[in-house]
Amino acid sequence: MTLKLSDVVLTYPDGDSMMTALDHVELAVAPGEFTAVVGPSGSGKSSLLAVAATLVTPASGSVMVAGQEVSGASREARTRIRREHIGIVFQQSNLLASLTALDQLLVMADLSGHSTKGAASRARELLLAVGLEDRQNRRPHQLSGGERQRVNIARALMNRPEVLLVDEPTSALDHQRGAQIVSLLADLTRREGLATVLVTHDLATLSMVDTVLRMTDGRLTG
Ligand code: ADP
Ligand code: MG
């Protein structure tokens, strides 16, 4: 399993007490497997992705990413695991306003110290894969919402992660464009052998995923 959460409990302070955001969660995603997590607002879906992304440390339980145990790892070790093995796409596209689509991708490689030469060909390959080969010199305001989300996805894949975590990528898009994004994620999951977790409200696109899990009050069920 590329991503494995075992018996994960996450609590947040809630006034004088604690609330349980993740309640003994089990999740295992294999390479090339596209898993969707659905559930009501406030049920813990984004918290699940934050734990899987190593951004939030659970109260207990184990998180394994690409064969490495995250729980107990130092902040530096977690940052390294995240950079090398995890691609993250959040709901709002946090693209840099002044950069072209191509440069949004190249900046990722710069930050992680990858060679510029390899990065340029990887960036072109990804822009082609997400259907933006003729948009690579456009800045975010010259792209549609769906195109910006495609840049986001391509950027998340620059460093060849094994795990891809995507939080409600279609919420700002109409149904057709949303379905195209989910279809693209399905393609990339197969092509790159990713362990992908997609949080979504869009039940109509679930036919494109391999596994559907439901989150209810912090409990994850099949
Ligand atoms: P979802 O993504 O399914 O809407 P979240 O994971 O965002 O759910 O939230 C799950 C629960 O945890 C909610 O009750 C939310 O209010 C609470 N929560 C989320 N993040 C925090 C936080 N940083 N501090 C305190 N409570 C939080
Ligand atoms: Mg959420």
Side-chain angles (χ1 to χ4, degrees):
M1 290 296 159
T2 307
L3 175 66
K4 196 169 191 330
L5 276 61
S6 311
D7 206 20
V8 164
V9 175
L10 175 69
T11 55
Y12 292 121
D14 181 25
D16 291 336
S17 60
M18 304 292 280
M19 64 90 61
T20 303
L22 296 176
D23 191 357
H24 300 279
V25 162
E26 305 283 335
L27 172 71
V29 189
E33 183 180 0
F34 192 11
T35 294
V37 175
V38 298
S41 181
S43 60
K45 305 181 301 296
S46 293
S47 298
L48 174 74
L49 290 194
V51 167
T54 80
L55 291 166
V56 169
T57 304
S60 63
S62 150
V63 178
M64 299 270 298
V65 175
Q68 297 184 58
E69 179 62 65
V70 177
S71 10
S74 67
R75 175 180 283 272
E76 291 72 30
R78 280 189 284 128
T79 302
R80 187 178 45 72
I81 291 171
R82 191 180 321 125
R83 276 212 193 116
E84 292 179 0
H85 303 291
I86 305 176
I88 306 174
V89 179
F90 291 120
Q91 193 168 344
Q92 37 321 38
S93 84
N94 45 348
L95 298 174
L96 300 163
S98 62
L99 294 188
T100 66
L102 181 63
D103 285 339
Q104 311 277 349
L105 273 59
L106 294 177
V107 155
M108 282 298 284
D110 269 0
L111 290 175
S112 57
H114 283 93
S115 88
T116 327
K117 219 168 121 197
S121 65
R122 175 67 172 163
R124 291 216 168 72
E125 169 194 38
L126 282 169
L127 288 171
L128 183 67
V130 302
L132 290 181
E133 65 275 22
D134 59 352
R135 296 279 191 276
Q136 53 178 284
N137 294 319
R138 295 206 180 186
R139 296 185 167 75
H141 70 275
Q142 301 167 313
L143 297 168
S144 70
E147 289 170 342
R148 283 197 290 272
Q149 216 29 305
R150 287 166 189 271
V151 176
N152 256 339
I153 292 165
R155 184 176 59 173
L157 297 177
M158 262 310 275
N159 295 331
R160 301 183 187 278
E162 290 95 329
V163 174
L164 179 62
L165 305 171
V166 190
D167 201 351
E168 309 211 29
T170 64
S171 52
L173 305 177
D174 62 39
H175 173 73
Q176 192 196 345
R177 276 170 233 280
Q180 286 168 355
I181 293 289
V182 177
S183 161
L184 170 65
L185 290 168
D187 267 8
L188 291 167
T189 298
R190 317 270 179 269
R191 183 203 289 231
E192 305 257 328
L194 300 164
T196 299
V197 181
L198 165 70
V199 166
T200 183
H201 266 110
D202 193 353
L203 302 182
T205 59
L206 293 181
S207 60
M208 290 186 260
V209 310
D210 301 312
T211 310
V212 180
L213 302 173
R214 275 160 227 288
M215 184 71 92
T216 319
D217 292 336
R219 283 185 302 277
L220 194 60
T221 53

